[in-house]
Amino acid sequence: MSDPAVPPLYTYTIGGVKIEMPVKPYPSQVSMMDKVIRGCQKQQNCLLESPTGSGKTLALLCSALAWQRAERERLGKLIEEEFQQKILEWQLKEQQKKQLKEKQQKQQKTPEKKPAGTNISSAKSKGWSLVNDIDDDDSDEEMSIFKQPGKKRKMNRSHYFDNKNKSNDDSIMTNDSTDNSLMTEDEDENHITHQAESKIPKKPKLVVPVIFFCTRTHKQIEQVIKELQRTSFNHVRSCVLASRELTCIQDSNLFYPDITYKSKTELCRDLLDPKARFRNSLKFRRDIEKCVYHDNGGLKISTYSQLSNYGVSSVWDIEDIVKLGIEKRSCPYYGSRVLLKTAEIVFCPYNYVIDPVIRGTMNLQLKGHVIIVDEAHNIEDQCRSAASLRLEQTNLNLAKMDCEKLSKIGNNSTSYSAIAQYLSDMSKWIDQKSTEIKSFDDYDRGVISWSGMSTTASFNEFGIGSEAFEKFKKHCETVMADEGKENDEQDIGKDLMDGAKLDDTKTDKDESKVENLVKDNGFSQGNPYEDSITNATKNILTSIITVFCLLFDDDYKSDYQVSLERIMQMKKFEHADRNTSGIAGWLNSSQQSSESRTVWTNTVNFLCLNPAAVFHELTSTARCIILTSGTLSPMNSFQSELGSQFPITLEANHVIKPDQCWVTSVNGGPNRVDLNCQYQNTGTYGFQDEMGLVLKNVCETVPYGVLCFMPSYVLMDKLFARWQITGLLKDLKRTKAVMCEPRRGDQLEDLMTKYYAAVKRASAPGGRRGGLTGALFVAVYRGKISEGLDFSDNNARAVVAVGIPFPNYKDVAVSHKKYYNDQHHKNKGLLPGWEWYQIQAYRALNQALGRCIRHKNDWGAILLVDSRYSQPKNLTGLSKWIRGRVEHNSTWAETLSKLNDFVESRLRSDDVA
């Protein structure tokens, strides 16, 4: 009998690949799995839209991992066939050599007779193992055993793509430094000679493409992992990449109040850098030990066999690895990076893959692997952002000072001096260009801008052009290589302090010892605590190199717009002298002050207008890239903007029934005031009052949770100020608890807790009898509420979408992008600027509307409040599943009546269920 606790598997074969699903798939899931299989097999990029709640994540995981399993079997058979063929060819050659040798011996009429039992193949006489003795899964290292008969063999069954960095328990040979061979020197020489001549074939390593599954946030990764654990693939080797802020288990206040670290990254680097530990030991007159959790790079939790022994599944989440790290006193951050080397599926936020700086820091090797980007509707913006740079002159000068300081110490002084000079010249270029700003606005802000071509020409004239940049880049690579020794296992700090234990009581002898240590180890005797550049400087140098490599590239220099902003502002100076600051450039808590004064600040923006500048590298490296989201519509911009072909596309239908979602446009409210949400109309009291009445009627008709999305915080504030005066806000609060999305993200969690609690109270038996009937949350498009939070079931029974959320046309990045597309839409195949501008609006709108229906049994109403939706052309940008449901009513009374009927019918259906 089958185990009732194990869910049944639904098996489908698509493209020759057997796929197992824990539930019976919807037609949309089957379509998506078909596209994923085709993309992986044909090495073609995919663009797949499937509405939220249609099982998109489950389909992606099952199809991708099923293909990976089939690919492993296919490659394994291919490698085995090729290897067997090479072995047979090798045996034939050996036999021919043997026959030739015997023939030569007969011709020489050698008087000596061969001992009995030696008439066997030369391979066996020398200890060779033939085909039947060779394990299918042997790596290169394991094959070397056959060349050393005297060595002991320990088998390694690894099938995976990277066996270079094994822990001790994964070694394939005993670490025997003595010569245990029973052969004499002559025999050994003959064996080596024969080995070189025979050239026994090596079995190639099995390299199987890895699945990189990327999404926006770690919260979404957690949901994806839960889906994976439901499937028959819950045994695959997975790895989650996350920052130190989420995985570091060290105490952030380890040195408080002497040092206050702004991030765990800075703390980690200080604890692993022997020079930093030595500096701190000298300053605080006590030993500063290496991080106790590092244990040679998370060694205790760096293999999947270890995880299994500790009771942790191979499919784990951040909480699992952090909990295990605390228990075993081993670093989850570095342990997960070692697990990455043998993982079959890797989960990470998609900026880890997209951003060249982060990708380099994490050492992600993507060649030949499959990249799946979920929630990919923002990928164009992410790519442009990754290729852009905002550089403040103040920070540029601090970086220059760091490098000048190190140029006087001795180590790589030439490189540091050259870097400081390049940064200094850049700062002078900024000073010179800032004088060209002649006009300022009411906020004492002036801006001047140039094209990328003009900027590089100006750089060349100023001596910081492509030739100077290449020299700067080489010097940066030199010093970065030196700075990258933080993971060196030689603890020089500890060795230094072994001979100079310091306590709180200083003596002349101690001072002399310290001075000698400082002198002998290359530290600045005047200030031994600052012998390396700050991490802020490292970040600036890395960012400059990344962006300037594109800026000076002939293929991309025309894709940049460079602007210089000069602004007067009140600036707070927390310290006057960097030499009195905390370790590594961080502020000492006891030295902060609140001095402020008005200063002019210059900021240079290197704005990349072409996302293909970053995305092209991914497409040229990965096997295939699969972009998915619930809201990719309109889809025609991705191919042109990303500069890549997407031969495989899908716009899937929703899995819900027609009566589960009711969508209508709203032209006007009870007073028949035109609800056109263009800027010039929203400022009138008529619009503001009518909008308030529409929202009031909706809240009175729809129970539980209602979401309302506004185009901007400005309009939200304007409406609430008016409703406060007219008393309408008070009326709203009699019906529902009213909340507004805060501008500060750290205030959102508390509001969401209150919102969910209000909905839960109304959902309880008898909760709608008198008093509040739920909660109203007023949010903005492109905010946190519209992107990733869960509003399933009663948390969102209606979504009121106000206006069409066009980006702010006054925004510099938006205006430059529109102009850029107009200039290049013919030669680069881009959409004209206005079309691109519209697509950005509808993509934000579709994402907000996706909050309404979250699963197949969910239901809700969508109200598109704007008279422009009455025109068919303004509906084409909506997602396919919404586009065909929109109905138009002649009056608000008719709309309200149909809304009431819809809600009542759904509530009756819920009561029956």
Side-chain angles (χ1 to χ4, degrees):
M1 293 181 63
S2 61
D3 187 351
V6 178
L9 292 178
Y10 296 83
T11 305
Y12 292 78
T13 300
I14 301 176
V17 176
K18 181 181 176 182
I19 303 175
E20 297 171 343
M21 292 282 285
V23 294
K24 186 176 181 179
Y26 306 123
S28 62
Q29 288 179 301
V30 175
S31 298
M32 173 163 282
M33 291 189 292
D34 173 64
K35 303 294 186 182
V36 171
I37 295 295
R38 285 172 52 193
C40 292
Q41 289 178 335
K42 296 183 178 181
Q43 302 186 42
Q44 293 179 336
N45 297 333
C46 306
L47 199 59
L48 313 177
E49 180 185 78
S50 184
T52 302
S54 60
K56 167 171 55 73
T57 300
L58 194 62
L60 288 170
L61 289 171
C62 290
S63 55
L65 289 170
W67 170 82
Q68 186 187 57
R69 181 176 59 191
E71 184 71 359
R72 179 183 297 107
E73 294 173 357
R74 186 186 72 84
L75 292 175
K77 290 179 182 178
L78 185 62
I79 288 175
E80 182 62 27
E81 290 173 0
E82 293 177 351
F83 180 61
Q84 294 289 354
Q85 181 63 33
K86 290 180 180 179
I87 286 291
L88 292 174
E89 294 173 356
W90 172 78
Q91 286 179 320
L92 180 60
K93 290 180 180 179
E94 288 296 302
Q95 187 66 28
Q96 292 173 347
K97 289 180 182 179
K98 175 188 172 184
Q99 293 173 353
L100 180 61
K101 186 175 182 180
E102 289 176 349
K103 184 177 181 181
Q104 291 175 345
Q105 288 176 345
K106 288 180 181 179
Q107 290 175 351
Q108 294 173 359
K109 296 180 180 180
T110 306
E112 296 182 6
K113 293 183 179 181
K114 294 182 180 180
T118 59
N119 190 22
I120 58 176
S121 70
S122 59
K124 282 190 175 181
S125 68
K126 290 297 183 180
W128 296 104
S129 178
L130 296 178
V131 177
N132 294 335
D133 297 323
I134 298 175
D135 187 83
D136 291 344
D137 299 325
D138 288 343
S139 64
D140 291 345
E141 293 88 352
E142 289 172 319
M143 287 302 299
S144 68
I145 301 297
F146 294 108
K147 303 177 186 178
Q148 304 180 54
K151 298 288 185 181
K152 296 180 182 179
R153 184 180 185 193
K154 180 178 177 181
M155 295 304 298
N156 181 352
R157 297 283 180 182
S158 175
H159 281 275
Y160 298 97
F161 69 101
D162 189 345
N163 292 319
K164 293 180 181 178
N165 297 314
K166 290 184 170 63
S167 58
N168 294 335
D169 60 336
D170 287 333
S171 63
I172 62 171
M173 294 174 56
T174 56
N175 187 14
D176 189 354
S177 59
T178 61
D179 184 8
N180 292 330
S181 175
L182 298 178
M183 294 188 293
T184 64
E185 289 186 5
D186 291 339
E187 287 174 330
D188 192 47
E189 288 177 4
N190 291 335
H191 171 70
I192 294 173
T193 302
H194 178 74
Q195 174 182 318
E197 292 174 354
S198 61
K199 294 182 180 179
I200 183 171
K202 291 184 179 180
K203 189 173 183 178
K205 292 182 180 179
L206 181 62
V207 181
V208 181
V210 179
I211 309 297
F212 284 85
F213 197 107
C214 314
T215 189
R216 288 184 63 249
T217 65
H218 285 291
K219 188 68 175 176
Q220 290 169 330
I221 290 176
E222 180 183 340
Q223 296 169 358
V224 174
I225 290 174
K226 288 180 180 178
E227 287 290 284
L228 178 57
Q229 291 171 339
R230 296 174 53 203
T231 72
S232 61
F233 299 97
N234 54 13
H235 62 281
V236 298
R237 307 220 246 195
S238 74
C239 180
V240 181
L241 298 181
S243 66
R244 290 178 177 88
E245 303 305 313
L246 294 175
T247 55
C248 178
I249 58 177
Q250 182 59 268
D251 181 10
S252 301
N253 297 318
L254 187 63
F255 299 124
Y256 184 84
D258 297 316
I259 310 176
T260 55
Y261 289 96
K262 293 184 179 179
S263 69
K264 284 193 173 182
T265 299
E266 199 66 32
L267 170 64
C268 174
R269 287 172 174 167
D270 257 19
L271 290 178
L272 296 187
D273 185 355
K275 293 181 179 179
R277 295 199 302 276
F278 176 55
R279 293 195 308 269
N280 292 349
S281 296
L282 291 176
K283 181 164 186 175
F284 300 120
R285 326 302 294 175
R286 69 172 188 264
D287 288 341
I288 301 297
E289 300 292 339
K290 182 182 176 181
C291 179
V292 296
Y293 301 111
H294 185 256
D295 73 338
N296 199 27
L299 189 62
K300 295 177 185 176
I301 55 174
S302 59
T303 68
Y304 288 93
S305 60
Q306 291 171 330
L307 297 185
S308 179
N309 292 337
Y310 298 147
V312 176
S313 168
S314 57
V315 176
W316 51 268
D317 197 9
I318 294 175
E319 292 182 359
D320 301 320
I321 202 74
V322 168
K323 182 178 179 181
L324 182 61
I326 294 173
E327 179 183 337
K328 300 301 177 183
R329 296 181 64 80
S330 186
C331 178
Y333 176 75
Y334 282 102
S336 61
R337 292 182 71 170
V338 179
L339 289 169
L340 168 68
K341 299 178 184 299
T342 52
E344 295 170 280
I345 183 167
V346 179
F347 300 99
C348 61
Y350 52 55
N351 61 326
Y352 280 45
V353 168
I354 294 172
D355 194 313
V357 176
I358 301 177
R359 191 168 65 240
T361 301
M362 300 299 294
N363 194 27
L364 294 185
Q365 305 298 322
L366 304 177
K367 186 174 182 179
H369 301 312
V370 175
I371 300 175
I372 299 176
V373 183
D374 197 7
E375 302 298 330
H377 49 275
N378 290 328
I379 194 169
E380 296 173 23
D381 295 336
Q382 291 290 326
C383 288
R384 286 196 300 270
S385 177
S388 301
L389 173 63
R390 180 179 174 85
L391 189 59
E392 293 186 14
Q393 187 179 20
T394 301
N395 293 332
L396 185 69
N397 288 334
L398 288 175
K400 178 198 70 172
M401 292 166 59
D402 266 343
C403 295
E404 286 176 341
K405 171 195 67 183
L406 288 183
S407 69
K408 300 174 183 177
I409 292 177
N411 293 332
N412 292 321
S413 59
T414 302
S415 292
Y416 280 116
S417 178
I419 295 171
Q421 184 61 53
Y422 189 84
L423 298 179
S424 177
D425 290 342
M426 279 191 64
S427 185
K428 292 176 182 177
W429 179 85
I430 293 173
D431 285 333
Q432 184 188 81
K433 290 298 180 180
S434 66
T435 61
E436 298 179 13
I437 301 176
K438 304 300 181 182
S439 61
F440 295 82
D441 58 22
D442 294 337
Y443 300 98
D444 290 328
R445 174 182 174 273
V447 179
I448 188 172
S449 63
W450 312 270
S451 67
M453 300 283 286
S454 299
T455 303
T456 53
S458 178
F459 277 4
N460 286 325
E461 292 176 5
F462 208 81
I464 53 176
S466 57
E467 184 176 340
F469 168 70
E470 286 301 322
K471 295 178 181 179
F472 166 79
K473 180 182 173 183
K474 290 180 180 179
H475 288 300
C476 286
E477 290 171 351
T478 299
V479 301
M480 290 296 185
D482 183 56
E483 291 288 338
K485 294 177 182 177
E486 64 181 37
N487 293 325
D488 192 344
E489 295 307 320
Q490 293 182 350
D491 192 348
I492 64 170
K494 185 176 184 303
D495 294 339
L496 292 171
M497 296 311 299
D498 281 343
K501 295 291 183 182
L502 303 176
D503 54 32
D504 293 333
T505 307
K506 286 196 302 182
T507 65
D508 292 340
K509 186 177 181 181
D510 288 333
E511 291 290 353
S512 176
K513 192 177 295 186
V514 170
E515 289 178 6
N516 290 334
L517 283 170
V518 170
K519 181 178 179 180
D520 293 342
N521 290 278
F523 293 102
S524 168
Q525 187 165 344
N527 189 346
Y529 314 119
E530 295 190 353
D531 76 310
S532 63
I533 55 176
T534 66
N535 284 297
T537 298
K538 296 175 189 176
N539 291 338
I540 286 179
L541 297 180
T542 303
S543 298
I544 289 175
I545 290 173
T546 300
V547 173
F548 279 26
C549 280
L550 294 172
L551 180 65
F552 287 114
D553 189 323
D554 290 337
D555 292 335
Y556 298 115
K557 63 173 60 177
S558 62
D559 298 331
Y560 276 87
Q561 186 72 27
V562 182
S563 62
L564 173 60
E565 179 185 54
R566 184 168 175 80
I567 184 171
M568 179 182 288
Q569 59 183 199
M570 295 294 294
K571 196 169 184 68
K572 184 176 181 179
F573 290 85
E574 295 177 324
H575 56 90
D577 186 355
R578 291 189 76 246
N579 291 333
T580 63
S581 65
I583 299 302
W586 296 109
L587 294 179
N588 195 322
S589 60
S590 63
Q591 297 168 342
Q592 297 182 15
S593 64
S594 57
E595 179 188 354
S596 298
R597 62 176 180 266
T598 302
V599 296
W600 283 100
T601 60
N602 294 323
T603 302
V604 186
N605 288 291
F606 297 89
L607 182 63
C608 180
L609 303 171
N610 182 11
V614 165
F615 195 77
H616 178 266
E617 184 179 355
L618 295 180
T619 55
S620 62
T621 301
R623 179 186 181 93
C624 69
I625 300 177
I626 301 171
L627 302 183
T628 74
S629 178
T631 53
L632 290 180
S633 296
M635 301 174 70
N636 57 349
S637 73
F638 280 94
Q639 187 162 293
S640 61
E641 285 292 318
L642 297 177
S644 301
Q645 296 296 315
F646 290 88
I648 300 174
T649 61
L650 172 68
E651 282 187 273
N653 291 316
H654 215 302
V655 298
I656 60 174
K657 299 176 182 178
D659 61 351
Q660 287 178 246
C661 184
W662 182 73
V663 187
T664 185
S665 65
V666 178
N667 298 334
N671 298 324
R672 297 181 178 272
V673 175
D674 181 19
L675 288 177
N676 185 307
C677 297
Q678 290 179 306
Y679 177 76
Q680 60 269 26
N681 196 40
T682 58
T684 65
Y685 290 152
F687 173 90
Q688 296 169 12
D689 293 343
E690 191 81 339
M691 187 65 243
L693 290 174
V694 167
L695 198 55
K696 176 177 177 290
N697 289 164
V698 171
C699 288
E700 291 171 345
T701 306
V702 180
Y704 313 126
V706 174
L707 298 179
C708 178
F709 290 99
M710 300 282 181
S712 67
Y713 283 108
V714 174
L715 179 58
M716 183 196 298
D717 294 341
K718 189 184 298 183
L719 291 175
F720 269 79
R722 175 63 180 174
W723 298 343
Q724 182 79 41
I725 295 172
T726 62
L728 192 141
L729 184 58
K730 187 181 294 185
D731 293 339
L732 277 173
K733 290 183 177 180
R734 291 194 187 101
T735 306
K736 294 187 182 295
V738 180
M739 295 154 200
C740 296
E741 182 171 3
R743 283 178 168 85
R744 286 175 48 189
D746 58 352
Q747 298 173 341
L748 181 61
E749 185 175 353
D750 183 53
L751 280 177
M752 290 308 307
T753 301
K754 293 179 181 178
Y755 177 82
Y756 290 137
V759 173
K760 187 176 181 180
R761 284 193 300 270
S763 305
R768 288 194 291 140
R769 296 175 186 170
L772 300 179
T773 64
L776 166 67
F777 209 122
V778 183
V780 294
Y781 297 105
R782 301 182 181 87
K784 290 185 178 294
I785 298 296
S786 69
E787 287 287 337
L789 295 180
D790 186 22
F791 292 95
S792 60
D793 300 320
N794 286 346
N795 289 321
R797 288 308 184 192
V799 171
V800 180
V802 180
I804 304 175
F806 290 102
N808 183 1
Y809 70 93
K810 292 184 178 180
D811 185 279
V812 174
V814 173
S815 61
H816 283 318
K817 176 61 178 171
K818 287 177 63 179
Y819 179 77
Y820 170 84
N821 276 37
D822 284 334
Q823 293 294 108
H824 297 283
H825 79 93
K826 290 184 179 180
N827 63 319
K828 294 191 176 183
L830 301 176
L831 294 176
W834 173 247
E835 288 186 32
W836 172 87
Y837 187 63
Q838 284 184 308
I839 282 177
Q840 306 313 303
Y842 281 96
R843 197 158 287 151
L845 173 65
N846 289 328
Q847 190 65 19
L849 299 182
R851 302 309 97 197
C852 187
I853 306 296
R854 307 299 294 177
H855 56 83
K856 68 173 183 176
N857 296 319
D858 206 353
W859 62 269
I862 295 176
L863 291 87
L864 303 172
V865 182
D866 196 311
S867 58
R868 288 175 288 180
Y869 287 119
S870 61
Q871 303 174 27
K873 68 177 183 178
N874 290 325
L875 299 177
T876 56
L878 294 173
S879 293
K880 181 180 178 181
W881 73 274
I882 298 176
R883 195 186 312 146
R885 297 172 182 263
V886 181
E887 62 178 60
H888 307 283
N889 301 299
S890 57
T891 65
W892 173 244
E894 183 182 358
T895 299
L896 196 59
S897 176
K898 289 185 177 181
L899 174 62
N900 184 71
D901 292 343
F902 169 76
V903 171
E904 291 297 328
S905 67
R906 295 313 311 175
L907 290 176
R908 285 194 301 270
S909 178
D910 286 350
D911 290 339
V912 172

